């Protein structure tokens, strides 16, 4: 039922179908508080669920907090390491449908995990997974399978291990992944990274002995071989070491992009570069310099970052080590590198801490902190690419009223299948520190009237439409009838409350989400006809067994005194003979032969297109067939005559609507 529409402003419409609109205000998730330490990560599943994880002191001890995302709202923060006395560190988070959430962190030197199987279940109690662990990295496929890579104390200092998560259960891979079991692996700037492909296979990258290695894992079974991603030299300049690995893969684990920071020297000059090597099946394709620089050129690069869509597209990011400019290299299908480009349009006065993210199967985004120096407060900016490669102009998504952005303490971006996007960051310092989220909404999905045209036999017809998809929060529907708003509802049907005139009318519905973005459905039409057809019929023929009975019907749907254009017209005519014979449909003249003597009721039913129904009946009696008596002698029998000398026949009878019901 529609509520009365006191006032309805026109909903704001996004400029393009796949370009989201920033919500009017940011959401403060926690703070202001000097106890907030850092934002560690954020994850958003395809269905729009997810959450973010951060560290916050309780009585001077760091603990892990999670704010879950559901229906477009970040919920109240909850501590997930309750009951653990030592300080926690290095939390990571991953999400998948339907509201699954997995969190891992280090506490007292042990690796703990917490998970929720769906959006209706609370996060469980922390469970210990491995002792002597650090540097966790977590990745979850759309199927809900997840892999956790981490560093464990080993004979050479550190070993890289993995754990596999499926349907609520964890299993440890039994042996280290290290290229050299006696070497120090996964420590310092060589901490492991992991990516889970859509086919459920993980690829782990880590630093070991100054090199970057990768290895695939199926459940708890690693591949027999491993590969080295970094080169011995580039352009004739020798490698010093490689570090900071990042990895991304799409739906096919045959391909993966491995990005890392490489240091080169010619003996007198040392330079840092960001390089990429694409893993293709069991080998690497070769080095791609995705930072836009040159060997021992005027500026080096650092801070490798990576985001990959399900189709292997995405972005590789790096930062100039002097100018701090952000360079982005779009990835083509199956993680193929392309030409690099500058992301930021203005001069950066400090490292931007840039991150890349994915929204849907195609769209991508890049966010960073823009520090204008003395010209203003540091702020968070974002560029969105609806098609995954062509970035829109940058926009400021943080609010200066909340203080200076502090992305050095955390910045993350992610999105859902519809292309909605969320960014979260730390803002303010000291007692004014906040965990803040900004959200960018797509317009609601397309929807249609359930019937583009229909007839109605009520002056208060019911209008119905399909559901407009909206992953982030409910939508309400504004209904207009004959060009004027008549109400709004949260459902997908509404009755017109004020009686309307006979004839054709048009109506339209706009779906509006919680930030005022609207999608307009195509118009529907309803033809109102509440007046029953006028019907009469004539019944002729001898009232005897075996004789042919003939019905002639006149039906008219003209709604006098209204004009004929306001009638829906005759849809069907039906004659029921009263003896169980199959009725005649859609005929105005019908004949029938009765085989038995008795009384019958002939019924004529006429319906118009709106469903109005008129019924006219007549009772008739069928007598036995006349048999002349046999006479003695020759000659044919003579028919019995009336006083006027004529044969006895039934007179025609006419029956009209007045005789019906």
């Amino acid at each position: 039922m529609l509520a009365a529409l006191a006032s309805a402003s026109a909903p704001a419409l996004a400029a393009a179908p796949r370009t989201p609109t920033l919500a009017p205000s940011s959401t403060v998730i926690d703070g202001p508080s000097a106890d907030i330490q850092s934002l560690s990560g954020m994850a958003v599943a395809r269905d729009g669920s997810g959450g973010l994880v951060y560290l916050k002191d309780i009585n001077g001890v760091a603990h892990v907090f999670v704010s879950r995302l559901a229906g477009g709202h970040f919920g109240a923060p909850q501590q997930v390491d309750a009951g653990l006395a030592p300080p926690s560190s290095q939390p990571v988070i991953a999400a998948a449908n339907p509201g699954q959430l997995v969190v891992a962190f280090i506490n007292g030197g042990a690796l703990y995990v917490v998970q929720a199987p769906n959006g209706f279940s609370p996060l469980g109690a922390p469970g210990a997974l491995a002792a002597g662990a650090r540097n966790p990295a977590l990745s979850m496929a759309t199927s809900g399978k997840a892999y956790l890579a981490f560093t464990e104390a080993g004979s050479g200092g550190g070993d890289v291990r993995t754990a596999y998560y499926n349907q609520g259960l964890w299993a440890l891979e039994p042996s280290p992944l290290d290229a050299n079991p006696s070497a120090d692996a996964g420590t310092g700037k060589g901490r492991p990274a992991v990516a889970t492909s859509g086919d459920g296979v993980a690829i782990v990258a880590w630093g070991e002995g100054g090199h970057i290695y990768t290895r695939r894992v199926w459940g708890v079974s690693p591949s027999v071989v491993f590969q080295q991603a970094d080169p011995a030299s580039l352009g004739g300049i020798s490698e010093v070491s490689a570090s900071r690995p990042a990895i991304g893969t799409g739906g096919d684990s045959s391909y993966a992009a491995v990005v890392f920071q490489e240091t080169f020297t010619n003996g007198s000059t040392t330079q840092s570069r960001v390089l990429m090597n694409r893993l293709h099946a069991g080998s690497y394709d070769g080095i791609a310099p995705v930072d836009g620089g040159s060997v021992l050129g005027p500026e080096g690069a650092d801070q490798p970052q990576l985001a990959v869509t399900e189709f292997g597209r995405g972005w590789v990011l790096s930062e100039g080590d002097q100018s701090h400019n952000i360079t982005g290299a779009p990835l083509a299908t199956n993680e193929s590198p392309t030409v690099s480009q500058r992301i930021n349009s203005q001069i950066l006065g400090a490292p931007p801490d840039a991150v890349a993210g994915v929204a849907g199967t195609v769209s991508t985004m890049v966010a960073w902190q823009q520090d204008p120096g003395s010209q203003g407060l540091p702020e968070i900016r974002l560029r969105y690419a609806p098609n995954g490669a062509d970035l829109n102009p940058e926009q400021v998504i943080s609010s200066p009223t909340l203080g200076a952005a502090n992305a050095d303490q955390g910045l993350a971006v992610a999105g859902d299948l519809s292309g909605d996007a969320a960014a979260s960051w730390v803002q303010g310092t000291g007692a004014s520190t906040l965990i803040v989220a900004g959200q960018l909404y797509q317009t609601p999905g397309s929807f249609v009237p359930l019937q583009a045209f229909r007839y109605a036999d009520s002056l208060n017809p019911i209008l119905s439409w399909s559901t407009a998809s909206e992953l982030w929060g409910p939508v309400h529907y504004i209904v207009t009838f004959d060009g004027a708003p008549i109400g709004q509802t949260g459902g997908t049907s509404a009755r017109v409350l004020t009686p309307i005139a006979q004839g054709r009318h048009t109506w339209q519905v706009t779906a509006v989400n919680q930030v005022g973005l609207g999608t307009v459905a195509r118009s529907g039409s309803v033809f109102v006809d509440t007046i029953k057809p006028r019907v009469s019929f004539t019944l002729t023929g001898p009232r005897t067994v075996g004789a042919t009975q003939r019905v002639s019907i006149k039906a008219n749907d003209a709604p006098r005194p209204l004009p004929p254009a306001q009638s829906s017209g005759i849809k069907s005519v039906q004659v029921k003979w009263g003896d169980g014979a199959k009725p005649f449909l859609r005929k105005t003249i019908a004949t029938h032969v009765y085989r038995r003597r008795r009384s019958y009721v002939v019924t004529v039913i006429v319906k118009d297109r709106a469903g109005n129904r008129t019924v006219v009946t007549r009772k008739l009696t069928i007598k036995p067939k006349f048999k002349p008596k046999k006479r003695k002698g020759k000659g044919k029998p003579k028919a019995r005559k009336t006083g006027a000398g004529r044969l006895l026949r039934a007179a025609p009878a006419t029956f009209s609507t007045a005789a019906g019901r």
Side-chain angles (χ1 to χ4, degrees), residues 296-521:
L296 299 184
E299 183 176 26
D302 54 20
Q303 305 300 317
Q305 294 285 328
L306 180 67
V308 177
T309 71
E310 293 179 33
F311 294 101
R313 302 172 69 89
W315 287 91
V316 175
L317 301 182
S318 60
E319 300 177 11
D321 58 9
Q322 298 177 41
S323 67
H324 307 304
N325 285 333
I326 308 165
T327 297
L331 296 176
T333 303
N334 292 331
E335 295 85 25
S336 300
T338 61
V339 179
S340 302
Q341 58 187 268
R342 177 171 161 174
I343 302 297
N344 57 298
S345 64
Q346 298 181 12
I347 295 175
L348 291 163
D353 300 303
V355 293
V358 170
T361 58
V362 176
S363 301
T364 56
M365 71 202 95
V366 177
W368 70 94
Q369 179 167 295
Q370 180 75 40
D371 189 346
S374 61
Q375 303 301 313
L377 296 176
E379 59 194 16
I380 304 299
R381 297 194 175 193
L382 182 141
R383 295 184 69 183
Y384 189 93
N387 65 359
D390 299 318
L391 291 165
N392 289 338
E394 59 196 69
Q395 60 178 317
V396 178
I397 62 173
S398 60
S399 172
T401 61
L402 299 178
N406 190 5
D408 186 54
Q409 297 302 311
L411 171 63
V413 290
D416 63 22
L417 185 61
S418 294
D420 302 310
S424 185
W425 60 90
V426 176
Q427 193 158 348
T429 57
S432 299
T433 304
L434 306 165
I435 300 291
V436 180
Q439 292 171 257
L440 294 91
Y441 285 76
Q442 295 283 350
T443 57
S446 60
F447 66 110
V448 295
L450 293 185
Q451 292 177 294
F453 173 82
R454 60 179 287 261
Y455 291 101
D457 60 357
S458 169
L459 297 179
N460 303 99
I462 295 177
L463 314 175
S464 300
W465 53 90
S466 62
T467 302
S469 62
E470 173 58 73
L471 296 178
W472 277 2
V475 298
H476 68 275
Y477 300 92
I478 297 175
V479 184
T480 60
F481 196 85
D482 287 340
I486 62 169
Q488 57 183 332
T489 179
T492 55
S493 65
R495 182 183 291 276
V496 180
L497 298 181
T498 303
I500 59 177
Q502 305 279 338
R504 185 183 294 269
H505 301 268
T506 59
W507 59 280
Q508 198 165 41
V509 180
T510 301
V512 184
N513 65 16
Q514 60 185 351
V515 294
L517 300 175
T519 297
V520 182

Side-chain angles (χ1 to χ4, degrees), residues 137-175:
L138 179 63
S139 175
M140 199 170 196
T142 57
S143 63
K145 296 178 180 179
Y147 289 85
L148 180 60
F150 60 96
T151 305
E152 184 179 63
S155 58
D159 289 332
V160 176
R161 298 284 304 277
T162 60
Y164 174 62
Y165 173 83
N166 188 25
Q167 297 182 349
L169 299 177
W170 286 95
L172 279 171
E173 172 266 324
S175 59

Side-chain angles (χ1 to χ4, degrees), residues 60-241:
V61 177
H63 288 283
V64 180
F65 284 80
V66 168
S67 170
R68 298 182 74 174
L69 175 64
H73 297 279
F74 284 96
Q78 53 184 305
Q79 183 184 347
V80 297
D81 61 351
L84 301 177
S88 295
S89 63
Q90 299 182 320
V92 288
I93 190 169
N97 296 354
Q100 292 188 77
L101 203 64
V102 177
V103 179
F105 57 91
I106 303 299
N107 182 277
L111 176 63
Y112 285 84
V113 289
V114 174
Q115 62 265 352
N118 54 62
F120 301 101
S121 301
L123 286 163
L129 195 61
R134 60 194 186 277
N135 298 337
L138 179 63
S139 175
M140 199 170 196
T142 57
S143 63
K145 296 178 180 179
Y147 289 85
L148 180 60
F150 60 96
T151 305
E152 184 179 63
S155 58
D159 289 332
V160 176
R161 298 284 304 277
T162 60
Y164 174 62
Y165 173 83
N166 188 25
Q167 297 182 349
L169 299 177
W170 286 95
L172 279 171
E173 172 266 324
S175 59
L177 302 182
D178 305 9
N180 181 356
S182 62
D184 184 20
T187 61
K189 293 181 180 181
R191 62 178 298 172
V194 61
T196 306
S197 66
D199 55 21
V201 177
I203 308 171
V204 182
W206 70 94
E208 178 182 337
H211 300 291
I212 303 298
Y213 294 96
T214 57
R215 199 167 180 180
R216 288 185 175 88
V217 181
W218 292 264
V220 294
S221 300
S223 61
V224 176
V225 299
F226 53 85
Q227 296 85 17
Q228 181 178 329
D230 57 305
S233 63
L234 184 67
I237 307 303
S238 300
E239 172 193 45
V240 176
S241 64

